[in-house]
Amino acid sequence: MKKCFTAFLLLTMILCGCGKRVADNERLNIAVRELRNGDIQKSTAQLEAILKNNPDNCSARLLMALNHEKNGKLNEALDLASAVAAEYPDSFAALYTCGRLRMYFPMHRRNAYQMLCNAHELSREDTGTLIALCNLGTELKYKNVLQYINLLKSKPEYAKDNVLNYQLGKCLILHGKRKEALDALKSAVNGLSDFNLLFNIARTIDINQLDRAYAVQLYRLYLRLPAKMRNAAAADYANRRIRIIGR
């Protein structure tokens, strides 16, 4: 359940221009097309041409930040996006891009969550923002992430998503709703193909004492996987927990 940037975000950059009229729509369209095709060099060349004549063009600056991200230049990407977000605090594109980039940096993740909350208020139907909020809010153990998880689950294509059900289970534990949490975690196992997630579900059920007999079943299921499909440290942990709680 990952999303780097959405088509909606790119469209917002071009059509809205972060609140300013875009000086060169043709070059922006070419830059977006090249970015989607993976040709960062050609995309960057188009953006540099725009910024040479109009260094304040925020659409080009945000797209340049995405290009920096693709090239692994995360500090440059964040600096650029942060400057645009500071200038345009009511721009969805600026807040979403800056918030998502801040997720790469542990010291900025709490601030990233708030920026993404603000972005969501500006575009409540954007799926990419909801996914980022669910991922980050679960990681930070924020209780209020439940509202975003439920919003995303209300979309038919995410109603039975394994990762989302896992996040729902973890959030419900924070709210003290143990039975509902267990139900969500069991739902996360259905049709599961992510075996690392299988281990994490088992561990979550185990350490929160929701149903240790079921946790043992999941540990054993994980251990029956071919060795190349298992994480060695996770397999050792599963074996230890089975010895302790599986008697």
Side-chain angles (χ1 to χ4, degrees):
M1 196 177 69
K2 298 179 180 178
K3 204 161 193 166
C4 290
F5 56 87
T6 64
F8 177 75
L9 171 62
L10 294 175
L11 186 63
T12 299
M13 289 179 183
I14 293 172
L15 297 182
C16 298
C18 302
K20 294 179 69 175
R21 183 176 180 180
V22 178
D24 197 335
N25 280 328
E26 185 177 352
R27 285 191 182 277
L28 279 172
N29 278 308
I30 294 171
V32 169
R33 185 176 68 243
E34 298 298 348
L35 177 58
R36 284 176 170 163
N37 291 337
D39 196 328
I40 308 302
Q41 186 174 358
K42 287 183 179 179
S43 178
T44 298
Q46 295 295 328
L47 298 173
E48 287 176 342
I50 296 171
L51 293 171
K52 182 178 180 180
N53 296 320
N54 184 6
D56 294 328
N57 187 306
C58 63
S59 298
R61 290 158 71 195
L62 287 177
L63 285 169
M64 187 69 83
L66 295 179
N67 284 359
H68 285 326
E69 178 190 13
K70 288 288 187 179
N71 279 328
K73 299 177 180 179
L74 297 179
N75 287 310
E76 291 92 331
L78 180 57
D79 288 346
L80 198 51
S82 295
V84 177
E87 293 173 32
Y88 301 95
D90 295 324
S91 163
F92 165 76
L95 290 175
Y96 173 73
T97 303
C98 186
R100 189 181 55 74
L101 288 169
R102 285 176 184 266
M103 291 174 64
Y104 285 108
F105 302 87
M107 72 287 291
H108 293 317
R109 283 180 181 157
R110 293 182 183 276
N111 181 259
Y113 187 80
Q114 186 57 57
M115 293 192 82
L116 290 167
C117 287
N118 294 341
H120 170 70
E121 290 302 314
L122 294 169
S123 181
R124 298 183 66 85
E125 294 301 315
D126 183 65
T127 301
T129 310
L130 285 173
I131 290 174
L133 282 168
C134 291
N135 290 340
L136 186 55
T138 301
E139 177 187 331
L140 295 173
K141 299 182 179 180
Y142 284 167
K143 285 186 175 182
N144 78 334
V145 75
L146 183 60
Q147 63 180 309
Y148 303 120
I149 292 173
N150 286 331
L151 280 171
L152 193 54
K153 278 182 66 66
S154 70
K155 298 177 179 288
E157 64 270 32
Y158 289 98
K160 297 181 180 180
D161 186 88
N162 298 107
V163 173
L164 196 57
N165 278 320
Y166 171 62
Q167 293 174 342
L168 176 61
K170 294 191 73 172
C171 187
L172 288 170
I173 291 170
L174 295 176
H175 285 268
K177 297 181 178 180
R178 295 171 59 80
K179 181 182 182 303
E180 294 91 334
L182 180 59
D183 289 342
L185 291 167
K186 286 183 175 180
S187 295
V189 177
N190 294 334
L192 187 64
S193 59
D194 182 343
F195 301 115
N196 288 325
L197 182 58
L198 174 64
F199 170 78
N200 288 331
I201 293 169
R203 186 172 181 272
T204 299
I205 292 172
D206 173 16
I207 63 177
N208 289 284
Q209 301 182 38
L210 299 179
D211 184 342
R212 281 184 161 168
Y214 183 64
V216 168
Q217 291 180 37
L218 296 183
Y219 282 139
R220 286 175 173 156
L221 181 62
Y222 181 76
L223 291 170
R224 285 200 294 270
L225 295 170
K228 64 181 181 180
M229 299 174 68
R230 302 188 316 240
N231 176 278
D236 288 344
Y237 181 93
N239 275 313
R240 289 198 306 272
R241 293 304 296 162
I242 289 172
R243 288 195 295 271
I244 294 171
I245 66 174
R247 299 172 182 174

